[in-house]
Amino acid sequence: LVELPAAANEALKARYPDATIRTHGFIGKHCFAAWVTPRGADRKSKLDVGVASDGKFLYVCEPVSLADAPAPVREKALARAGETKPETVSRIVYLSRAERPLFAVTLAEGALVLDKDAGVIADPAVNSPAVPELVRKAIAARFPLAKECKPSGALALSWWKTYEFDIEATQGKVKRSVSLSILFDGRILSEVEPIDRAALPPAVKKGFAASRYGKLPLASATRVVEDERVTFELAVEKDGQKHVLVLDADGKVVLDGDPSALKLTSTAFRHGGEIPVVHTAEGKDTSPPLAWTGVPQGTKSLVLVVDDPDAPDPKAPKQTWVHWLLYDIPPDAKGLPAGVAAKDLPNGTRAGKNDFEQTAYGGPSPPIGRHRYFHKLYALDVVLPDLQSPTKAQLERAMRGHVLAKAELVGTFESKAR
């Protein structure tokens, strides 16, 4: 599903010469996850292997029988499983700490992750999973002056493999706010940090000035470090649309995210027009027909987000209410028919959870005033892994750094029944 770089593909084939290899997601932008099925093995015996784009291995996750698990792990697993006894557990070996594997036990409520002595690493029964000591030490070493270090949720590939943190640190008079993605073994996969234009390296300033956006004011700048690669995402406003220019540390253009070609339309309403009652909670509550054109070259998947930034009252908005989330829409799809059912979505499309706690479309139902409903289509340079019905925040985290273009269609609605 995700195209592997040559070095990563060669490393996997060299390590598993007779195996079937199938990628199933990414960890950050330059690290990948692959299913590896040895010759003659059934699908239940496949390995989950993490590998970086340069061919370095991150981890190997393999199923082992409960009988072969360490005694403390086996006892804890049986005690927690209740009547449903697990036959296998997942043994996770991080290549940087091969002598200290982890064991994941699948329970009804999620994955219980233990060390070999049955110490709890992550427990689905508690709200905040424990943070491994190696992760704490890695963060302390990278950000020694950090005042706050809050887990902000798990990266969706598997919540026992990676953590995400929001870091607040002060260096001299400079305040830093960094989003950090880190493996359980303490390896930092990515750092994302908003920065001022003045803090941009001279080469990046020069590259921006020489670009076609050089005469426009810079709306925002973000420094991204992934697997030791540093890039700068520079956003500008042009003709009412956001354009993103990505430069490397030498000021060379990595991506020119001109969104002007990607267009999102509906035959049910024009941009800025009123959404027909049939597509709202006061009607049949069916999704509107949507069509798009201009999907940029290199797009591997599309994401659709429908939300309302005017909730509950346009005069005093307090939250953005999410109505619909779809991701992994294939790039060759041309649109969605009105009232599309889950079974009729383009092949491979996955759904997220909206603020109605549903994965299906939930139409407008504004309590007061005329609300705006933003239909946002994103073109990504990757196929996302199975995020397990993610929220909008979780989906946006997984998308970060992978957006090639974005299109918007805004409809409005005011309740006739209130």
Side-chain angles (χ1 to χ4, degrees):
L1 296 179
V2 179
E3 185 178 352
L4 277 174
N9 193 40
E10 290 172 3
L12 283 167
K13 287 183 177 179
R15 185 167 183 147
Y16 305 103
D18 297 322
T20 300
I21 298 169
R22 180 174 178 266
T23 57
H24 66 86
F26 66 94
I27 318 166
K29 194 166 185 175
H30 301 288
C31 300
F32 303 83
W35 295 124
V36 177
T37 307
R39 178 181 291 180
D42 59 25
R43 294 182 63 185
K44 292 182 179 180
S45 301
K46 65 185 178 184
L47 310 177
D48 183 359
V49 181
V51 61
S53 58
D54 59 4
K56 294 178 182 177
F57 286 91
L58 304 177
Y59 66 83
V60 177
C61 177
E62 60 181 342
V64 297
S65 69
L66 190 60
D68 292 334
V73 172
R74 184 168 59 250
E75 292 170 6
K76 176 82 78 171
L78 291 172
R80 286 291 301 274
E83 295 182 0
T84 307
K85 306 300 183 185
E87 295 182 0
T88 62
V89 297
S90 296
R91 182 174 181 268
I92 312 149
V93 178
Y94 294 98
L95 278 301
S96 64
R97 48 170 295 187
E99 75 286 355
R100 297 178 63 187
L102 300 179
F103 296 85
V105 183
T106 301
L107 305 175
E109 63 269 30
L112 172 68
V113 184
L114 308 170
D115 63 23
K116 62 183 181 180
D117 299 316
V120 176
I121 300 297
D123 188 339
V126 299
N127 292 328
S128 300
V131 179
E133 187 62 24
L134 286 174
V135 172
R136 292 185 185 278
K137 289 181 178 179
I139 294 175
R142 181 68 183 85
F143 302 96
L145 302 178
K147 291 185 177 180
E148 292 187 47
C149 179
K150 298 178 180 178
S152 56
L155 198 62
L157 180 62
S158 276
W159 63 283
W160 43 263
K161 289 177 188 168
T162 52
Y163 266 125
E164 292 225 345
F165 290 89
D166 290 329
I167 309 292
E168 295 292 337
T170 302
Q171 291 182 330
K173 296 182 179 180
V174 179
K175 275 192 171 183
R176 301 182 62 191
S177 179
V178 185
S179 294
L180 187 72
S181 178
I182 185 169
L183 277 173
F184 262 48
D185 67 350
R187 174 169 176 170
I188 295 175
L189 295 179
S190 68
E191 299 175 25
V192 178
E193 178 181 10
I195 59 175
D196 294 331
R197 178 168 185 164
L200 290 173
V204 175
K205 290 180 181 178
K206 185 176 180 181
F208 175 72
S211 74
R212 61 194 180 111
Y213 306 115
K215 294 183 179 181
L216 296 175
L218 192 62
S220 65
T222 305
R223 179 176 180 268
V224 181
V225 183
E226 293 183 296
D227 199 32
E228 299 181 357
R229 296 173 176 85
V230 181
T231 57
F232 296 85
E233 298 180 359
L234 310 179
V236 299
E237 295 286 340
K238 183 181 179 182
D239 300 327
Q241 290 186 306
K242 181 180 178 181
H243 294 237
V244 178
L245 181 70
V246 182
L247 304 175
D248 64 18
D250 296 322
K252 296 179 181 178
V253 176
V254 176
L255 173 68
D256 185 345
D258 182 355
S260 59
L262 186 62
K263 301 293 183 183
L264 178 63
T265 59
S266 175
T267 55
F269 60 94
R270 61 179 176 78
H271 182 70
E274 183 163 2
I275 298 173
V277 173
V278 67
H279 302 305
T280 76
E282 294 180 14
K284 294 184 178 179
D285 207 14
T286 57
S287 60
L290 297 172
W292 49 80
T293 57
V295 175
Q297 185 177 1
T299 299
K300 300 295 179 64
S301 71
L302 301 168
V303 171
L304 178 68
V305 175
V306 180
D307 59 23
D308 166 16
D310 297 325
D313 183 352
K315 294 182 179 179
K318 294 181 178 179
Q319 70 176 110
T320 297
W321 190 268
V322 180
H323 287 260
W324 203 15
L325 295 173
L326 296 176
Y327 67 102
D328 283 351
I329 303 170
D332 57 355
K334 304 301 181 185
L336 300 171
V340 63
K343 63 181 179 62
D344 297 323
L345 290 169
N347 188 40
T349 301
R350 304 180 191 272
K353 186 180 293 184
N354 61 24
D355 284 337
F356 298 106
E357 295 293 322
Q358 299 174 348
T359 55
Y361 170 83
S365 181
I368 184 172
R370 180 169 294 277
H371 287 224
R372 298 167 299 160
Y373 297 89
F374 285 73
H375 300 65
K376 295 174 280 191
L377 185 71
Y378 300 88
L380 306 188
D381 63 2
V382 294
V383 176
L384 297 176
D386 185 354
L387 305 178
Q388 302 294 322
S389 302
T391 63
K392 177 186 169 184
Q394 291 169 333
L395 179 57
E396 288 179 337
R397 281 186 176 279
M399 291 166 51
R400 191 168 57 202
H402 298 285
V403 177
L404 297 175
K406 174 187 175 183
E408 282 187 353
L409 172 67
V410 181
T412 70
F413 186 73
E414 184 173 8
S415 175
K416 310 297 188 295
R418 295 181 175 88

